[in-house]
Structures are given as C-alpha cells and as structure tokens.
C-alpha cells in the first residue's frame, strides 16, 4: 500500500518537471537545474521500483 503513494508521488514530480519544461523560462540556471533533476528523478525511480540503473560508482 505504501508503494502506491511512492508511485503517485513519482508521477507528480515527473509531471511537474515536464510541465515546467514546456511552460518555463529557458535560462542557463533552469537548464542546469533540469539536467540535475533528470538524474535525481531517475535515482528516485530506481529507489521506488528497486531497480539498479547506474553502477554504484555513480
């Protein structure tokens, strides 16, 4: 049951990131933040689904 809330939260965070990508201003700070957010979202997705996506070195 608790995992369902993680999936919902993951979907909300992903949807918000895509929405900001479409509607937000395209400044250098925003682009760097979005690139970092992609790796953060992938790490969070791996944590929630118990999937190893990168080597432990990363």
């Amino acid at each position: 049951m608790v995992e369902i809330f993680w999936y919902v939260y993951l979907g909300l965070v992903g949807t918000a990131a895509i929405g900001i990508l479409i509607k937000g201003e395209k400044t250098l700070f925003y682009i760097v933040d979005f690139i970092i957010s992609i790796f953060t979202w992938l790490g969070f997705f791996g944590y929630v689904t118990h999937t190893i996506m990168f080597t432990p070195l990363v």
Side-chain angles (χ1 to χ4, degrees), residues 2 25 43:
V2 174
E25 290 185 32

Side-chain angles (χ1 to χ4, degrees), residues 40-58:
T40 304
W41 193 86
L42 287 174
F44 185 56
F45 179 79
Y47 173 76
V48 170
T49 60
H50 304 290
T51 305
I52 297 174
M53 303 184 112
F54 301 114
T55 63
L57 181 62
V58 174

Side-chain angles (χ1 to χ4, degrees), residues 18-35:
I18 291 172
I20 291 172
L21 177 66
I22 294 170
K23 298 275 184 172
E25 290 185 32
K26 306 300 189 280
T27 62
L28 178 62
F29 177 74
Y30 169 75
I31 293 169
V32 171
D33 179 53
F34 187 74
I35 291 170

